[in-house]
Amino acid sequence: MQNNEKLKFAKEYKNKLLQHGNPKVLFIDNPDRLSFLQLQALSFEILNKVNNLDISLGYEPYDTGMEPPPQISNSEREDLFVDFLDWYEILQTLNHDVFNFVIKNYPVNKCPRILCVGDGENCHLGRKLAMKGYQVVSVDPVARKEFSSNRNKNNQERKVNGNLHIVQGEFFDISTDMINWANLIVGSKIPCCAESLIGLNKPAVFNISGNAEVHNMRFKGKRITSSKQLTFEIMKCKGVRVERTIEEFSGRERLLFICNEREYGEVGERD
């Protein structure tokens, strides 16, 4: 990416942060139902990121006038910020890669039922798919059920057209009822589920992350020590196709794995 393109991207990124941060996150626009302290921590993080971004662009640093609440750790504050980026689509994330591929290649009229694996605490991927009209079951041990199902974007409330059901638990290949129910199985940042998804006789779309868990797992009996090694092993599997995307700002390559797509006849015609 050229310098002028990076500058344009940085300015757009800053504007999105400020637009959705308001510049302080408010209860009225709080889809994940964060506590007051969490909102305060997120507001600090947003303003701090904007300040650092301005410094990188050659502007003088300024006092944001905010302090992070000591009850919220640095790692939790960063997690809140990552969720903020993901929900408001400020950056293209791994969740977005799966979401965009599904709505483009598996339209709701041909693939209405989706099982969403490892969807995280706030089930962002499942919630967004439900808003597109899909019937979604999201599975994760830490999933919450009390968050809002609506998303306020550009001051327009978008209601859920589909349906979302949350299962608080682990996903394994023995989850027969859920697997049989679904037309499609998806997952974002789920290295430990990769082998199960590839082995199913159902189409699956997923990507992996370099989380710590990838260094303490096995894939088809082989000990895995890195996300690079896991990616190589996945790509060797029969029935797996790879979609590649490039991050706008960093230029890094991201991979999306599509499995068993030809075995699902209802999606023979792509929109």
Side-chain angles (χ1 to χ4, degrees):
M1 185 183 291
Q2 300 297 322
N3 286 336
N4 59 338
E5 292 177 330
K6 288 184 178 180
L7 181 63
K8 179 181 177 182
F9 183 88
K11 288 182 177 179
E12 290 177 352
Y13 176 66
K14 174 187 173 182
N15 289 336
K16 287 181 180 179
L17 285 176
L18 291 172
Q19 174 190 350
H20 292 291
N22 297 323
K24 296 180 181 180
V25 181
L26 305 175
F27 274 107
I28 195 172
D29 191 15
N30 183 14
D32 290 342
R33 296 193 178 177
L34 305 180
S35 68
F36 177 78
L37 288 176
Q38 288 175 317
L39 289 168
Q40 187 179 5
L42 177 57
S43 296
F44 169 84
E45 196 69 17
I46 292 170
L47 292 175
N48 193 48
K49 298 288 187 187
V50 171
N51 195 5
N52 291 337
L53 185 61
D54 279 345
I55 293 172
S56 71
L57 295 175
Y59 298 104
E60 291 293 322
Y62 56 88
D63 182 5
T64 65
M66 291 193 67
E67 293 292 333
Q71 300 93 329
I72 307 293
S73 67
N74 291 341
S75 60
E76 183 181 354
R77 196 169 70 233
E78 185 64 27
D79 287 343
L80 291 170
F81 182 71
V82 171
D83 280 344
F84 171 81
L85 296 180
D86 179 62
W87 183 253
Y88 289 105
E89 300 175 3
I90 292 172
L91 287 177
Q92 189 78 5
T93 67
L94 291 171
N95 261 0
H96 295 154
D97 290 345
V98 177
F99 175 78
N100 289 336
F101 185 87
V102 169
I103 61 174
K104 178 181 178 181
N105 295 281
Y106 291 86
V108 67
N109 63 319
K110 299 175 183 177
C111 181
R113 299 184 300 278
I114 296 179
L115 175 59
C116 195
V117 177
D119 206 10
E121 182 179 7
N122 293 314
C123 301
H124 283 176
L125 180 56
R127 288 158 69 185
K128 290 181 180 182
L129 288 170
M131 289 175 186
K132 287 293 185 179
Y134 295 92
Q135 305 298 307
V136 182
V137 172
S138 282
V139 183
D140 196 289
V142 299
R144 295 163 49 200
K145 294 187 177 182
E146 68 271 21
F147 51 70
S148 170
S149 294
N150 300 324
R151 178 167 56 161
N152 191 311
K153 187 175 181 181
N154 298 328
N155 297 321
Q156 293 181 349
E157 185 122 316
R158 296 165 59 180
K159 299 294 184 180
V160 176
N161 298 315
N163 181 267
L164 176 65
H165 178 72
I166 305 298
V167 176
Q168 295 170 325
E170 296 278 0
F171 170 82
F172 297 104
D173 54 359
I174 57 174
S175 304
T176 308
D177 290 343
M178 291 188 293
I179 293 168
N180 289 340
W181 169 85
N183 303 124
L184 174 69
I185 302 171
V186 302
S188 179
K189 301 175 289 187
I190 50 168
C192 289
C193 293
E195 184 173 353
S196 295
L197 297 187
I198 292 171
L200 297 176
N201 189 26
K202 282 285 180 79
V205 177
F206 70 94
N207 49 33
I208 64 171
S209 64
N211 294 343
E213 60 184 336
V214 81
H215 302 285
N216 189 31
M217 63 172 286
R218 290 184 175 273
F219 184 86
K220 294 187 178 296
K222 183 176 294 187
R223 182 171 179 268
I224 300 297
T225 59
S226 69
S227 56
K228 182 177 180 180
Q229 180 195 2
L230 178 58
T231 296
F232 177 73
E233 296 297 332
I234 292 173
M235 291 174 68
K236 291 195 304 183
C237 294
K238 183 180 179 181
V240 177
R241 181 169 68 83
V242 179
E243 285 269 327
R244 303 173 187 270
T245 58
I246 303 297
E247 291 182 357
E248 289 180 287
F249 192 61
S250 68
R252 290 181 298 184
E253 184 180 64
R254 293 207 305 263
L255 303 180
L256 188 64
F257 304 106
I258 301 97
C259 312
N260 304 320
E261 58 182 343
R262 286 170 297 187
E263 296 180 15
Y264 189 55
E266 292 181 30
V267 192
E269 296 181 8
R270 304 296 196 202
D271 283 3

